[in-house]
Amino acid sequence: MRVLARTAYLLTTAALMSFGAVHMTSANEELMKMSSDPKNWAMPTGDYANTRYSKLNQINKDNVKNLQVKWTMSTGVLRGHEGGPLVIGDVMYIHTPFPNIVYALDLNNEGKILWKYEPKQDPNVIAIMCCDTVNRGVAYGDGKIILNQADTTVVALDAKTGKVVWSVKNGETDGSKGESGTAAPMVVKDKVIIGVSGAEFGVRGWTAAYNLKDGSLAWKAYSTGPDAETLIDPEKTTHLGKPVGPDSGINTWEGEQWKTGGGTTWGWFAYDPKLNLVYYGTGNPSTWNPVQRPGDNRWSMTLMARDADTGVAKWLYQMTPHDEWDYDGVNENILVDGMEVNGAKHDVLVHFDRNGFAYTMDRASGELLVAKKYDPTVNWATEVNMDPNSDQYGRPQVVAKYSTQQNGEDTNTTGVCPAALGTKDQQPATYSPKTGLFYVPTNHVCMDYEPYKVSYTAGQPYVGATVAMYPTPNSHGGMGNFIAWDAAKGEIVWSKPEQFSVWSGALATEGDVVFYGTLEGYIKAVDTEGKELYKFKTPSGIIGNVNTFEHRGKQYIAVLSGVGGWAGIGLAGGLLGAEGAAAWQAAVAGEKAPTEEEKSISTAGLGAVGGYAALADYTTLGGQLTVFGLPD
């Protein structure tokens, strides 16, 4: 009872802390109005529902073949360019990887730079960013541009001048704990929602809400730990319809392992204004060696629905209990109203997880409606149990052959599909209300995975596994597919193979065109049946998200090029040669570092270097914005 009483007190306190600001919804109303105008691209994912859908139709399936480059701009930065530009009225805002430069560009004057903000950060943060120095974008709200810096500093900039309005530390900015920032913020009502990266360094993940006005902390919810710190009500917060019970974020860990348990929150946020719920996923538990952390390791690998004002969790769903493969659950959640599933209509959340399963859930209750593989070669589990009366309900049914836990330490488990980077990493999908389908960029990659014992030291890599990646065997395509998905049925409608993983965010439009980018650097347009209509090769591989906007009556398409991210870390991090790979191995694997040069290179970058070695034959580093339009 003392535990319950203390939890109730602290949760109430958290609610009271933010109560004074709840009525201040003007920023939220402004943002909703802006995002409903298709001329803008006012949020990182286009809207609160993360649909990445635009009602613009000037560019359509009949004339998209006529697209041409209208203007370009170099960002002045190499490494991987994830995310995409914001467009608000006559101004475009773009960002870069570390050092996280932000540019404001005047669309009325050929993209003239109105202002530039370049933060001063401790360069030591570069060494603790596990999978490239990426940043997924800036957010807008109340006349401010919100930047989440690599060193975890969250900065609000005056949208007109670029001057700092406020600045707060979301984590340790000197790298001493391995905490970093890569996620795009989301402005919800009067708050800025932001997460943290660093599970590969034993960071205990959290999501925080800062007051948009002054940057003061409104609430902070950890992924693991006691109820008072995870903001979980043991009697009201549910998992698959049942109360989670006291201290659920502790009792599935051994001892105090939850304190270095991972569950970081570097993906995308969604928001339902009617339910006032924020949705997001948590990442892998630390370490990658599952033998060292018995139990389900809650609440890593979990979809979370939290009250936007207080942070208190309404429902949770752990997709991959006791993760054995690094299948982070941070991918975007796409919200769709009135989807008919199994004969009944639901307002749903659709999530394409790294583990290879696509989930359709009732977003009010957390009821699991559909859980199906969106790549048929996924083999680590046979299915997700859908029987509510079973003690396995909602759990993936793990295949013993591919269980790194059962095979044990220092045993190489081979042929696991998908690889650790998942059937889809953070690259966001899109949804078209015209077709009722989701268009999904995917990876088609498998791996060998050998866990080993590792000790935790603050600020040092805490991985504990050697991974090798390669294209899915006996595959007639390449290392990726761009697919159309029916989330009500859990079925692939069509699949378009690509030579490399499709690592860009997709865009669907009212003009019956779907856009995406490739690692070689192509921006591509397909119709709603997957027929390719247009492609253009930009100067570097595309891992950014394709956006669209209208200016002076004309529709444009915009995308950031700049190869990198996990798939491109060999190029971006200089790991394709023996010297660079050996340095990486020494830093991450220590005494477990491979001594053979070939293996050292192939397993560097957490396995991605070998898997994507051929990428260097098709593209090279570069950071560029490219804007496309129809002929004048």
Side-chain angles (χ1 to χ4, degrees):
M1 288 300 293
R2 287 183 180 178
V3 172
L4 294 177
R6 174 174 169 75
T7 299
Y9 167 77
L10 287 167
L11 293 178
T12 302
T13 301
L16 288 173
M17 285 173 61
S18 58
F19 176 78
V22 168
H23 68 282
M24 296 175 58
T25 59
S26 59
N28 191 64
E29 292 169 355
E30 175 196 30
L31 200 50
M32 290 181 69
K33 184 178 180 180
M34 284 183 171
S35 64
S36 66
D37 183 350
K39 295 178 182 179
N40 300 312
W41 192 272
M43 300 184 194
T45 56
D47 54 31
Y48 279 132
N50 287 345
T51 61
R52 297 194 55 79
Y53 177 79
S54 174
K55 293 181 179 179
L56 297 180
N57 59 15
Q58 188 178 99
I59 298 170
N60 57 52
K61 64 179 181 179
D62 297 320
N63 62 22
V64 69
K65 63 180 181 292
N66 300 321
L67 277 186
Q68 56 187 217
V69 175
K70 291 299 183 181
W71 57 279
T72 64
M73 176 184 168
S74 171
T75 66
V77 179
L78 303 179
R79 308 292 295 242
H81 284 58
E82 290 185 347
L86 295 185
V87 176
I88 298 168
D90 295 326
V91 182
M92 175 185 285
Y93 301 92
I94 64 171
H95 66 286
T96 76
F98 184 92
N100 306 136
I101 301 169
V102 180
Y103 296 96
L105 308 179
D106 186 355
L107 296 178
N108 289 327
N109 193 5
E110 299 180 337
K112 177 184 177 181
I113 299 172
L114 295 171
W115 54 259
K116 172 185 175 182
Y117 173 74
E118 183 170 358
K120 303 300 180 184
Q121 302 181 69
D122 188 334
N124 287 330
V125 72
I126 295 174
I128 61 166
M129 301 184 78
C130 93
C131 311
D132 203 6
T133 60
V134 296
N135 182 285
R136 298 185 182 93
V138 294
Y140 173 86
D142 192 29
K144 304 177 182 73
I145 295 295
I146 312 298
L147 168 67
N148 178 29
Q149 296 178 184
D151 66 359
T152 76
T153 302
V154 181
V155 180
L157 306 172
D158 185 294
K160 292 183 179 180
T161 66
K163 292 182 179 179
V164 175
V165 179
W166 53 256
S167 176
V168 297
K169 292 183 178 181
N170 187 43
E172 295 293 335
T173 59
D174 61 358
S176 60
K177 292 187 177 180
E179 297 166 355
S180 60
T182 59
M186 174 175 271
V187 173
V188 173
K189 297 170 78 168
D190 63 326
K191 295 178 177 63
V192 177
I193 311 295
I194 195 64
V196 70
S197 304
E200 279 63 57
F201 291 79
V203 172
R204 178 188 171 208
W206 71 81
T207 294
Y210 294 94
N211 289 310
L212 180 59
K213 181 179 180 180
D214 59 10
S216 58
L217 182 66
W219 52 261
K220 184 175 184 178
Y222 282 93
S223 303
T224 65
D227 293 337
E229 296 180 8
T230 57
L231 301 189
I232 288 175
D233 185 320
E235 296 178 346
K236 294 182 178 179
T237 303
T238 61
H239 181 263
L240 295 175
K242 297 180 180 179
V244 297
D247 286 335
S248 56
I250 290 178
N251 57 30
T252 59
W253 293 86
E254 186 172 77
E256 294 188 335
Q257 288 184 338
W258 56 270
K259 291 184 176 180
T260 54
T264 48
T265 49
W266 49 270
W268 306 94
F269 300 96
Y271 174 59
D272 184 333
K274 293 180 181 178
L275 297 173
N276 197 36
L277 292 177
V278 172
Y279 304 92
Y280 64 95
T282 65
N284 61 284
S286 299
T287 156
W288 285 23
N289 179 359
V291 179
Q292 286 187 249
R293 44 173 174 77
D296 279 358
N297 309 137
R298 292 182 170 178
W299 292 102
S300 67
M301 315 301 288
T302 297
L303 296 181
M304 295 190 166
R306 294 188 179 274
D307 184 279
D309 298 325
T310 67
V312 176
K314 181 175 182 182
W315 60 260
L316 314 167
Y317 170 55
Q318 189 178 42
M319 297 167 289
T320 314
H322 187 62
D323 170 47
E324 307 171 37
W325 311 270
D326 183 46
Y327 291 151
D328 295 63
V330 303
N331 290 353
E332 78 286 351
N333 300 292
I334 302 174
L335 312 184
V336 177
D337 293 342
M339 181 182 290
E340 187 171 322
V341 185
N342 300 323
K345 286 193 173 182
H346 298 263
D347 290 345
V348 300
L349 171 157
V350 176
H351 173 86
F352 298 93
D353 199 63
R354 287 236 306 246
N355 69 14
F357 287 86
Y359 300 85
T360 304
M361 305 187 71
D362 185 294
R363 67 176 186 262
S365 66
E367 178 187 357
L368 181 62
L369 303 173
V370 178
K372 293 288 187 179
K373 297 176 182 179
Y374 62 106
D375 184 332
T377 64
V378 171
N379 65 13
W380 68 276
T382 56
E383 63 181 355
V384 173
N385 187 299
M386 298 297 288
D387 181 2
N389 298 315
S390 170
D391 63 357
Q392 293 293 299
Y393 178 44
R395 297 179 72 97
Q397 302 303 290
V398 177
V399 176
K401 178 181 178 181
Y402 302 115
S403 170
T404 67
Q405 165 76 41
Q406 294 182 51
N407 294 338
E409 290 180 343
D410 302 317
T411 298
N412 193 23
T413 298
T414 61
V416 182
C417 305
L421 43 68
T423 300
K424 187 176 85 64
D425 202 278
Q426 59 75 40
Q427 60 269 35
T430 182
Y431 169 75
S432 171
K434 287 189 70 174
T435 64
L437 297 177
F438 296 78
Y439 302 96
V440 191
T442 72
N443 312 314
H444 198 52
V445 186
C446 301
M447 69 176 173
D448 300 338
Y449 190 111
E450 183 176 346
Y452 56 82
K453 190 173 183 179
V454 64
S455 299
Y456 173 75
T457 302
Q460 299 299 313
Y462 189 49
V463 178
T466 299
V467 177
M469 300 183 191
Y470 41 84
T472 301
N474 303 317
S475 174
H476 298 294
M479 296 178 72
N481 296 291
F482 190 70
I483 71 169
W485 178 259
D486 184 329
K489 297 178 180 178
E491 295 177 355
I492 296 173
V493 178
W494 53 257
S495 181
K496 182 178 182 296
E498 288 288 350
Q499 181 174 0
F500 295 102
S501 296
V502 187
W503 208 271
S504 83
L507 168 74
T509 73
E510 186 89 7
D512 298 318
V513 185
V514 184
F515 295 88
Y516 65 95
T518 74
L519 278 171
E520 307 101 291
Y522 284 105
I523 182 172
K524 294 189 175 185
V526 298
D527 66 17
T528 53
E529 296 180 351
K531 178 184 177 183
E532 190 171 298
L533 304 174
Y534 173 82
K535 70 176 182 178
F536 178 88
K537 192 169 187 182
T538 65
S540 185
I542 298 176
I543 63 170
N545 305 329
V546 186
N547 296 352
T548 189
F549 64 97
E550 182 181 306
H551 183 249
R552 291 181 172 174
K554 295 183 178 181
Q555 182 183 356
Y556 297 91
I557 304 294
V559 68
L560 288 170
S561 298
V563 71
W566 195 355
I569 190 62
L571 277 165
L575 306 183
L576 294 173
E579 184 177 353
W584 186 92
Q585 295 283 9
V588 175
E591 62 181 20
K592 291 288 186 176
T595 56
E596 298 177 11
E597 182 177 301
E598 183 178 349
K599 187 175 182 181
S600 174
I601 295 173
S602 66
T603 61
L606 302 175
V609 174
Y612 294 86
L615 187 59
D617 295 334
Y618 294 88
T619 191
T620 188
L621 297 178
Q624 177 173 299
L625 168 73
T626 307
V627 179
F628 300 83
L630 294 172
D632 295 330

